[in-house]
Amino acid sequence: MNKKFVAGISLAVVAGATFWACGEGNISKWNTEDEALEYQYGSEADAEALKKEGLDNCLADDFCKMEYAPYFAELNGETPGETPSSNDNGNNPGPNPGQSSSSVRNNNPFDIVDASSSSITRRDDDPLGDQSSSSEEVPITGLGMCEPVTTPIDKNTGSTKWKFTPNLNAGYTAIDFAKATYAWNFGAGATPATDGTPSTSAAVSYGNSGTATASVTVTIGGGSETIQCKPLQVNGDPITGCKCTTEATSVDYTATPDVVWSVTGCTSASMPLAYNWNGTDGSESFSNSFSAATDSYAPKLKVGNSDNTVIDVTCPAVKVTEGPEYTIKESGDAGEIAIPQGTHSVTVMGPSSLTQCRFECTAGGPLTVKLGTGTTLTGSYYAGEGVSAEFCKSTFDLNASTDVSCKARWN
């Protein structure tokens, strides 16, 4: 892990008193402030020990070792190839032919190369300084995105942090983003109102319910971008007791194309309530018409009140088939079918002249079988019951507590 440089904590001098390194390998150029800090460490022997510690720490970190390989090569008297040395005064070669016109990183981690103009913008040598103070700061885009870590939250009592996620394809490395500055604007009603350092903000609470918006200005490598964050839902008075139900669990859309869901039991101190199904405002009920089979479908329901509270309510899913899932076409053992645990659509195709019918199921252990909205069969290994003749000429839901084998007997 490479962390942002913090003066006075785990500091060490590396590369012949030219760079500072933190204990986890993050290197920044030497400047006058670092020179002043050196006096903290007393004797020349102490300084030399500090240098060795910094070098060892960076070499032990694969990321740091790879990032600063040219400097270690120079320190060991080796030729670093085409990689510019740390004292090249910015005379770096331009981008390779065919290179993208976006800003890219040169091998020197302290330079940014603009491939469209072959120009180099030198980054602020002082990693502790305010990069936004550059008189030539330019707007940049595509640095990343930000969003609340937790949403929704309750006003006053709840809190969230806002998090910036860098786009590492924007021409900057993870080290660049670690050294960047972040100026947050949390919007109206926020506590604290501002917080301007880390890429993940301090915890923020809001005194107003509704949608809260925030933004972060990221300053990096001589440029900056203000990024609008994804919205945060701040809830006021709570909504409780909501329950979404439907009578269907499995339907044959060729016979029953429409399925209805209803929400009941919602209460709140801030009335009236509003209902939104699949992004469209509606009432306490919702109907969906199916024209194709699907393994699982459930509408998305949000319930709101007059204090800007919005909650998600989970609705049960329905399996939709084209025709019945299971069909019993013959009487008795000849028509026996295996049905897995759960709710399934079953059609019994008894003859039109049918006058009597019995429905039976067996299992390897205790079982409960519910036939549609009516008969429930229970037993240790076997359950059966006489049902109406019309039942054995219909399609219904069968809800089994375990895997079962079922059949119908008619004459």
Side-chain angles (χ1 to χ4, degrees):
M1 295 289 292
N2 288 279
K3 293 185 176 179
K4 189 172 181 180
F5 175 89
V6 179
I9 300 177
S10 300
L11 297 179
V13 183
V14 70
T18 306
F19 298 87
W20 278 96
C22 76
E24 297 191 21
N26 187 8
I27 300 178
S28 307
K29 279 193 172 182
W30 177 277
N31 59 28
T32 54
E33 184 172 356
D34 298 322
E35 192 173 73
L37 287 170
E38 184 181 19
Y39 289 102
Q40 297 178 18
Y41 296 94
S43 68
E44 182 178 350
D46 293 335
E48 288 301 319
L50 204 59
K51 294 176 187 179
K52 183 178 185 304
E53 180 186 352
L55 179 62
D56 291 343
N57 285 338
C58 191
L59 286 173
D61 184 290
D62 289 340
F63 192 108
C64 185
K65 180 179 178 180
M66 177 179 64
E67 184 80 8
Y68 297 98
Y71 302 113
F72 295 132
E74 182 181 354
L75 186 65
N76 295 327
E78 301 171 2
T79 301
E82 297 180 0
T83 302
S85 66
S86 60
N87 59 355
D88 65 357
N89 295 322
N91 296 321
N92 297 301
N96 296 325
Q99 193 169 35
S100 168
S101 61
S102 62
S103 292
V104 298
R105 295 275 289 116
N106 187 272
N107 285 334
N108 185 339
F110 299 97
D111 294 336
I112 295 292
V113 177
D114 183 356
S116 63
S117 62
S118 298
S119 63
I120 297 175
T121 300
R122 180 72 64 177
R123 255 185 276 164
D124 186 354
D125 283 346
D126 180 4
L128 301 177
D130 182 1
Q131 296 178 8
S132 64
S133 63
S134 170
S135 61
E136 298 184 1
E137 184 177 306
V138 294
I140 48 183
T141 59
L143 290 181
M145 55 85 68
C146 67
E147 60 187 340
V149 174
T150 303
T151 186
I153 64 171
D154 295 329
K155 70 176 181 181
N156 297 322
T157 59
S159 67
T160 189
K161 294 182 178 182
W162 293 87
K163 180 180 180 181
F164 169 78
T165 301
N167 174 16
L168 295 179
N169 295 319
Y172 298 92
T173 68
I175 291 178
D176 296 327
F177 283 105
K179 293 179 180 178
T181 60
Y182 302 86
W184 290 94
N185 183 339
F186 298 130
T191 304
T194 59
D195 176 39
T197 29
S199 57
T200 299
S201 76
V204 183
S205 61
Y206 289 84
N208 302 326
S209 61
T211 301
T213 58
S215 65
V216 59
T217 299
V218 182
T219 302
I220 184 172
S224 66
E225 179 185 12
T226 297
I227 300 163
Q228 296 298 319
C229 303
K230 292 183 178 180
L232 165 71
Q233 172 62 35
V234 182
N235 284 337
D237 287 335
I239 300 171
T240 60
C242 295
K243 185 177 182 180
C244 180
T245 58
T246 182
E247 292 186 358
T249 53
S250 176
V251 296
D252 171 9
Y253 80 85
T254 62
T256 309
D258 298 325
V259 178
V260 177
W261 284 263
S262 298
V263 58
T264 58
C266 298
T267 60
S268 177
S270 295
M271 301 294 280
L273 298 178
Y275 305 92
N276 183 287
W277 302 85
N278 292 344
T280 301
D281 293 339
S283 62
E284 291 93 337
S285 64
F286 169 79
S287 177
N288 192 73
S289 183
F290 294 96
S291 59
T294 179
D295 285 340
S296 180
Y297 174 86
K300 296 183 182 299
L301 170 62
K302 292 182 179 292
V303 180
N305 66 13
S306 60
D307 194 24
N308 299 313
T309 298
V310 178
I311 64 170
D312 293 310
V313 178
T314 301
C315 293
V318 169
K319 182 175 184 178
V320 182
T321 63
E322 185 174 6
E325 290 183 85
Y326 300 94
T327 303
I328 299 174
K329 297 181 179 180
E330 299 183 59
S331 176
D333 296 342
E336 188 168 5
I337 58 173
I339 301 175
Q341 178 183 1
T343 301
H344 306 280
S345 175
V346 177
T347 295
V348 180
M349 301 181 67
S352 59
S353 59
L354 181 64
T355 58
Q356 296 182 23
C357 183
R358 181 176 178 83
F359 194 85
E360 302 172 353
C361 294
T362 58
L367 75 154
T368 299
V369 179
K370 185 174 182 180
L371 309 179
T373 59
T375 301
T376 298
L377 310 179
T378 60
S380 297
Y381 301 95
Y382 166 86
E385 185 169 320
V387 292
S388 70
E390 290 305 315
F391 181 88
C392 281
K393 294 184 289 184
S394 66
T395 297
F396 56 91
D397 286 343
L398 183 148
N399 190 329
S401 62
T402 185
D403 294 350
V404 296
S405 293
C406 298
K407 57 190 174 183
R409 297 185 181 277
W410 62 74
N411 51 31

